[in-house]
Tab-separated table of all heavy atoms in Angstrom:
chain	number	residue	atom	x	y	z
A	239	ASP	N	-6.267	6.385	6.978
A	239	ASP	CA	-7.546	6.890	6.882
A	239	ASP	C	-7.719	8.174	7.622
A	239	ASP	O	-8.718	8.372	8.376
A	239	ASP	CB	-8.599	5.877	7.311
A	239	ASP	CG	-10.074	6.178	6.885
A	239	ASP	OD1	-10.224	6.584	5.715
A	239	ASP	OD2	-10.888	6.148	7.823
A	240	PHE	N	-6.700	9.041	7.566
A	240	PHE	CA	-6.765	10.320	8.332
A	240	PHE	C	-7.873	11.195	7.833
A	240	PHE	O	-8.139	11.447	6.649
A	240	PHE	CB	-5.479	11.092	8.148
A	240	PHE	CG	-4.312	10.412	8.829
A	240	PHE	CD1	-3.036	10.431	8.242
A	240	PHE	CD2	-4.375	9.979	10.115
A	240	PHE	CE1	-1.923	9.896	8.869
A	240	PHE	CE2	-3.283	9.433	10.773
A	240	PHE	CZ	-2.030	9.365	10.098
A	241	HIS	N	-8.582	11.768	8.815
A	241	HIS	CA	-9.682	12.839	8.581
A	241	HIS	C	-9.292	13.990	9.408
A	241	HIS	O	-8.657	13.896	10.469
A	241	HIS	CB	-11.043	12.251	9.004
A	241	HIS	CG	-11.532	11.234	8.037
A	241	HIS	ND1	-10.992	10.029	7.881
A	241	HIS	CD2	-12.536	11.365	7.195
A	241	HIS	CE1	-11.761	9.305	6.938
A	241	HIS	NE2	-12.672	10.122	6.504
A	242	PRO	N	-9.804	15.175	9.055
A	242	PRO	CA	-9.470	16.423	9.826
A	242	PRO	C	-9.918	16.214	11.282
A	242	PRO	O	-10.986	15.640	11.499
A	242	PRO	CB	-10.347	17.439	9.124
A	242	PRO	CG	-10.531	17.007	7.738
A	242	PRO	CD	-10.531	15.474	7.757
A	243	GLY	N	-9.057	16.634	12.192
A	243	GLY	CA	-9.326	16.610	13.614
A	243	GLY	C	-8.964	15.228	14.276
A	243	GLY	O	-9.130	15.047	15.478
A	244	ASP	N	-8.462	14.280	13.406
A	244	ASP	CA	-8.074	13.005	14.000
A	244	ASP	C	-6.908	13.144	15.037
A	244	ASP	O	-6.037	13.998	14.900
A	244	ASP	CB	-7.679	12.106	12.883
A	244	ASP	CG	-8.865	11.246	12.343
A	244	ASP	OD1	-9.919	11.210	13.015
A	244	ASP	OD2	-8.690	10.733	11.251
A	245	ILE	N	-6.971	12.209	15.996
A	245	ILE	CA	-5.952	12.080	16.976
A	245	ILE	C	-5.332	10.693	16.708
A	245	ILE	O	-6.114	9.633	16.673
A	245	ILE	CB	-6.470	12.266	18.419
A	245	ILE	CG1	-6.922	13.650	18.475
A	245	ILE	CG2	-5.318	11.953	19.401
A	245	ILE	CD1	-7.477	14.023	19.791
A	246	TYR	N	-4.022	10.628	16.467
A	246	TYR	CA	-3.388	9.484	15.929
A	246	TYR	C	-2.206	9.093	16.818
A	246	TYR	O	-1.493	10.025	17.309
A	246	TYR	CB	-2.946	9.806	14.552
A	246	TYR	CG	-1.886	8.914	13.858
A	246	TYR	CD1	-2.225	7.596	13.484
A	246	TYR	CD2	-0.664	9.283	13.726
A	246	TYR	CE1	-1.274	6.800	12.920
A	246	TYR	CE2	0.396	8.481	13.195
A	246	TYR	CZ	0.022	7.223	12.755
A	246	TYR	OH	1.034	6.512	12.207
A	247	TRP	N	-2.028	7.827	17.003
A	247	TRP	CA	-0.897	7.361	17.833
A	247	TRP	C	-0.135	6.225	17.134
A	247	TRP	O	-0.698	5.151	16.906
A	247	TRP	CB	-1.361	6.945	19.231
A	247	TRP	CG	-0.270	6.438	20.204
A	247	TRP	CD1	0.997	6.900	20.083
A	247	TRP	CD2	-0.416	5.615	21.247
A	247	TRP	NE1	1.708	6.282	21.143
A	247	TRP	CE2	0.872	5.564	21.826
A	247	TRP	CE3	-1.421	4.881	21.861
A	247	TRP	CZ2	1.119	4.750	22.898
A	247	TRP	CZ3	-1.165	4.060	22.956
A	247	TRP	CH2	0.100	4.088	23.510
A	248	CYS	N	1.053	6.413	16.789
A	248	CYS	CA	1.910	5.449	16.202
A	248	CYS	C	2.892	5.047	17.281
A	248	CYS	O	3.699	5.971	17.767
A	248	CYS	CB	2.707	5.983	14.928
A	248	CYS	SG	3.997	4.940	14.408
A	249	THR	N	2.904	3.842	17.695
A	249	THR	CA	3.772	3.418	18.829
A	249	THR	C	5.197	3.100	18.482
A	249	THR	O	6.068	2.861	19.213
A	249	THR	CB	3.204	2.207	19.549
A	249	THR	OG1	3.207	1.083	18.568
A	249	THR	CG2	1.782	2.452	20.032
A	250	ALA	N	5.494	3.178	17.120
A	250	ALA	CA	6.845	2.840	16.698
A	250	ALA	C	7.805	3.924	17.037
A	250	ALA	O	7.522	5.078	17.152
A	250	ALA	CB	6.879	2.700	15.183
A	251	ASP	N	9.146	3.531	17.291
A	251	ASP	CA	10.191	4.481	17.634
A	251	ASP	C	10.784	5.053	16.324
A	251	ASP	O	11.099	4.243	15.396
A	251	ASP	CB	11.267	3.797	18.433
A	251	ASP	CG	12.269	4.740	18.975
A	251	ASP	OD1	13.189	5.146	18.263
A	251	ASP	OD2	12.189	5.190	20.089
A	252	PRO	N	11.020	6.360	16.274
A	252	PRO	CA	11.634	6.893	15.030
A	252	PRO	C	13.043	6.424	14.743
A	252	PRO	O	13.582	6.724	13.751
A	252	PRO	CB	11.614	8.452	15.319
A	252	PRO	CG	10.563	8.627	16.326
A	252	PRO	CD	10.618	7.454	17.168
A	253	GLY	N	13.707	5.626	15.725
A	253	GLY	CA	14.886	5.016	15.401
A	253	GLY	C	14.761	4.012	14.202
A	253	GLY	O	15.751	3.553	13.612
A	254	TRP	N	13.552	3.595	13.911
A	254	TRP	CA	13.194	2.726	12.808
A	254	TRP	C	12.325	3.473	11.835
A	254	TRP	O	11.639	4.388	12.228
A	254	TRP	CB	12.543	1.437	13.315
A	254	TRP	CG	13.346	0.864	14.372
A	254	TRP	CD1	13.153	1.000	15.728
A	254	TRP	CD2	14.515	-0.026	14.295
A	254	TRP	NE1	14.128	0.324	16.479
A	254	TRP	CE2	14.970	-0.339	15.534
A	254	TRP	CE3	15.211	-0.558	13.145
A	254	TRP	CZ2	16.068	-1.118	15.835
A	254	TRP	CZ3	16.294	-1.273	13.406
A	254	TRP	CH2	16.708	-1.667	14.690
A	255	VAL	N	12.213	2.959	10.658
A	255	VAL	CA	11.572	3.716	9.578
A	255	VAL	C	10.084	3.970	9.831
A	255	VAL	O	9.499	5.050	9.551
A	255	VAL	CB	11.837	3.019	8.204
A	255	VAL	CG1	11.025	1.753	8.102
A	255	VAL	CG2	11.575	3.876	7.037
A	256	THR	N	9.436	3.023	10.492
A	256	THR	CA	7.938	3.273	10.798
A	256	THR	C	7.785	4.522	11.660
A	256	THR	O	6.879	5.358	11.406
A	256	THR	CB	7.313	2.083	11.547
A	256	THR	OG1	7.520	0.898	10.708
A	256	THR	CG2	5.837	2.238	11.660
A	257	GLY	N	8.663	4.643	12.611
A	257	GLY	CA	8.556	5.818	13.535
A	257	GLY	C	8.858	7.170	12.821
A	257	GLY	O	8.443	8.189	13.301
A	258	THR	N	9.588	7.109	11.761
A	258	THR	CA	9.863	8.357	11.007
A	258	THR	C	8.733	8.647	9.934
A	258	THR	O	8.058	9.625	9.970
A	258	THR	CB	11.169	8.314	10.258
A	258	THR	OG1	12.096	7.738	11.118
A	258	THR	CG2	11.602	9.709	9.801
A	259	SER	N	8.482	7.684	9.110
A	259	SER	CA	7.434	7.812	8.051
A	259	SER	C	6.095	8.027	8.681
A	259	SER	O	5.309	8.822	8.184
A	259	SER	CB	7.395	6.602	7.130
A	259	SER	OG	8.685	6.535	6.415
A	260	TYR	N	5.788	7.167	9.724
A	260	TYR	CA	4.435	7.298	10.239
A	260	TYR	C	4.286	7.800	11.692
A	260	TYR	O	3.160	7.965	12.168
A	260	TYR	CB	3.698	5.870	10.081
A	260	TYR	CG	3.615	5.574	8.610
A	260	TYR	CD1	4.539	4.793	7.985
A	260	TYR	CD2	2.644	6.184	7.820
A	260	TYR	CE1	4.423	4.537	6.603
A	260	TYR	CE2	2.529	6.017	6.476
A	260	TYR	CZ	3.484	5.165	5.859
A	260	TYR	OH	3.422	5.018	4.476
A	261	GLY	N	5.399	8.052	12.346
A	261	GLY	CA	5.429	8.663	13.650
A	261	GLY	C	5.746	10.173	13.571
A	261	GLY	O	5.769	10.914	14.601
A	262	ILE	N	6.121	10.577	12.340
A	262	ILE	CA	6.424	12.097	12.253
A	262	ILE	C	5.756	12.552	10.903
A	262	ILE	O	4.909	13.350	10.914
A	262	ILE	CB	7.934	12.282	12.082
A	262	ILE	CG1	8.664	11.746	13.307
A	262	ILE	CG2	8.189	13.829	11.971
A	262	ILE	CD1	10.243	11.926	13.302
A	263	ILE	N	6.110	11.974	9.787
A	263	ILE	CA	5.825	12.671	8.517
A	263	ILE	C	4.388	12.548	8.069
A	263	ILE	O	3.641	13.504	7.908
A	263	ILE	CB	6.764	12.190	7.428
A	263	ILE	CG1	8.215	12.406	7.791
A	263	ILE	CG2	6.439	12.887	6.113
A	263	ILE	CD1	9.264	11.825	6.896
A	264	ALA	N	3.872	11.285	7.877
A	264	ALA	CA	2.534	11.098	7.369
A	264	ALA	C	1.446	11.822	8.195
A	264	ALA	O	0.612	12.544	7.591
A	264	ALA	CB	2.236	9.593	7.276
A	265	PRO	N	1.459	11.745	9.475
A	265	PRO	CA	0.376	12.414	10.210
A	265	PRO	C	0.403	13.964	10.099
A	265	PRO	O	-0.627	14.588	9.866
A	265	PRO	CB	0.545	12.022	11.707
A	265	PRO	CG	1.983	11.462	11.781
A	265	PRO	CD	2.280	10.897	10.418
A	266	LEU	N	1.617	14.476	10.098
A	266	LEU	CA	1.719	15.895	10.020
A	266	LEU	C	1.394	16.403	8.567
A	266	LEU	O	0.690	17.387	8.412
A	266	LEU	CB	3.175	16.460	10.355
A	266	LEU	CG	3.637	16.087	11.805
A	266	LEU	CD1	4.995	16.763	12.008
A	266	LEU	CD2	2.701	16.592	12.772
A	267	VAL	N	1.798	15.661	7.576
A	267	VAL	CA	1.446	16.026	6.241
A	267	VAL	C	-0.031	16.122	6.057
A	267	VAL	O	-0.568	16.947	5.393
A	267	VAL	CB	2.122	15.145	5.167
A	267	VAL	CG1	1.581	15.351	3.762
A	267	VAL	CG2	3.644	15.242	5.175
A	268	ASN	N	-0.721	15.186	6.742
A	268	ASN	CA	-2.142	15.082	6.698
A	268	ASN	C	-2.872	16.000	7.674
A	268	ASN	O	-4.087	16.019	7.835
A	268	ASN	CB	-2.611	13.737	6.820
A	268	ASN	CG	-2.448	12.924	5.506
A	268	ASN	OD1	-3.265	13.004	4.566
A	268	ASN	ND2	-1.369	12.168	5.406
A	269	GLY	N	-2.012	16.729	8.490
A	269	GLY	CA	-2.617	17.765	9.410
A	269	GLY	C	-3.345	17.234	10.620
A	269	GLY	O	-4.209	17.952	11.170
A	270	VAL	N	-3.026	16.050	11.032
A	270	VAL	CA	-3.717	15.579	12.241
A	270	VAL	C	-2.805	15.750	13.468
A	270	VAL	O	-1.718	16.239	13.403
A	270	VAL	CB	-4.140	14.058	12.116
A	270	VAL	CG1	-5.037	13.900	10.876
A	270	VAL	CG2	-2.891	13.126	11.988
A	271	THR	N	-3.310	15.314	14.584
A	271	THR	CA	-2.524	15.524	15.830
A	271	THR	C	-1.821	14.117	16.155
A	271	THR	O	-2.470	13.103	16.136
A	271	THR	CB	-3.521	15.872	17.039
A	271	THR	OG1	-4.084	17.169	16.839
A	271	THR	CG2	-2.723	15.818	18.389
A	272	ASN	N	-0.574	14.219	16.431
A	272	ASN	CA	0.250	13.072	16.575
A	272	ASN	C	0.645	12.819	18.093
A	272	ASN	O	1.302	13.721	18.595
A	272	ASN	CB	1.544	13.319	15.695
A	272	ASN	CG	2.238	12.051	15.338
A	272	ASN	OD1	1.743	10.962	15.526
A	272	ASN	ND2	3.535	12.200	14.962
A	273	ILE	N	0.222	11.742	18.588
A	273	ILE	CA	0.541	11.464	20.037
A	273	ILE	C	1.928	10.726	20.085
A	273	ILE	O	2.172	9.827	19.206
A	273	ILE	CB	-0.476	10.493	20.627
A	273	ILE	CG1	-1.881	11.081	20.538
A	273	ILE	CG2	-0.096	10.136	22.096
A	273	ILE	CD1	-2.186	12.208	21.515
A	274	VAL	N	2.780	11.191	20.953
A	274	VAL	CA	4.107	10.550	21.108
A	274	VAL	C	4.207	10.157	22.644
A	274	VAL	O	4.074	11.071	23.427
A	274	VAL	CB	5.246	11.385	20.746
A	274	VAL	CG1	6.539	10.725	20.987
A	274	VAL	CG2	5.143	11.794	19.295
A	275	ASP	N	4.499	8.854	22.868
A	275	ASP	CA	4.709	8.485	24.294
A	275	ASP	C	6.261	8.217	24.493
A	275	ASP	O	6.785	7.374	23.787
A	275	ASP	CB	3.866	7.229	24.659
A	275	ASP	CG	4.000	6.903	26.150
A	275	ASP	OD1	4.384	7.790	26.940
A	275	ASP	OD2	3.708	5.698	26.460
A	276	GLU	N	6.812	8.845	25.489
A	276	GLU	CA	8.186	8.652	25.676
A	276	GLU	C	8.517	7.218	26.290
A	276	GLU	O	9.659	6.725	26.117
A	276	GLU	CB	8.729	9.726	26.644
A	276	GLU	CG	10.243	9.758	26.782
A	276	GLU	CD	10.705	10.650	27.899
A	276	GLU	OE1	9.976	11.462	28.451
A	276	GLU	OE2	11.933	10.631	28.150
A	277	GLU	N	7.575	6.682	26.983
A	277	GLU	CA	7.778	5.441	27.727
A	277	GLU	C	7.699	4.259	26.812
A	277	GLU	O	7.105	4.226	25.714
A	277	GLU	CB	6.700	5.332	28.877
A	277	GLU	CG	6.873	4.335	29.852
A	277	GLU	CD	8.275	4.292	30.512
A	277	GLU	OE1	9.189	3.789	29.847
A	277	GLU	OE2	8.394	4.824	31.637
A	278	GLU	N	8.268	3.130	27.272
A	278	GLU	CA	8.237	1.899	26.541
A	278	GLU	C	6.795	1.235	26.787
A	278	GLU	O	6.110	1.697	27.592
A	278	GLU	CB	9.356	0.965	26.996
A	278	GLU	CG	10.691	1.470	26.593
A	278	GLU	CD	10.841	1.965	25.188
A	278	GLU	OE1	10.352	1.246	24.244
A	278	GLU	OE2	11.415	3.012	24.959
A	279	PHE	N	6.727	0.092	26.191
A	279	PHE	CA	5.387	-0.626	26.258
A	279	PHE	C	4.992	-0.873	27.695
A	279	PHE	O	5.764	-1.339	28.538
A	279	PHE	CB	5.495	-2.019	25.552
A	279	PHE	CG	4.252	-2.854	25.733
A	279	PHE	CD1	3.302	-2.835	24.887
A	279	PHE	CD2	4.175	-3.724	26.769
A	279	PHE	CE1	2.102	-3.487	24.989
A	279	PHE	CE2	3.055	-4.535	26.929
A	279	PHE	CZ	1.975	-4.454	26.019
Side-chain angles (χ1 to χ4, degrees):
D239 196 46
F240 288 138
H241 284 69
D244 271 343
I245 297 180
Y246 161 76
W247 183 24
C248 169
T249 61
D251 189 278
W254 308 96
V255 72
T256 306
T258 316
S259 294
Y260 295 100
I262 305 180
I263 302 169
L266 298 185
V267 169
N268 284 278
V270 303
T271 295
N272 199 15
I273 302 286
V274 176
D275 183 24
E276 189 187 352
E277 191 52 279
E278 295 313 314
F279 175 87

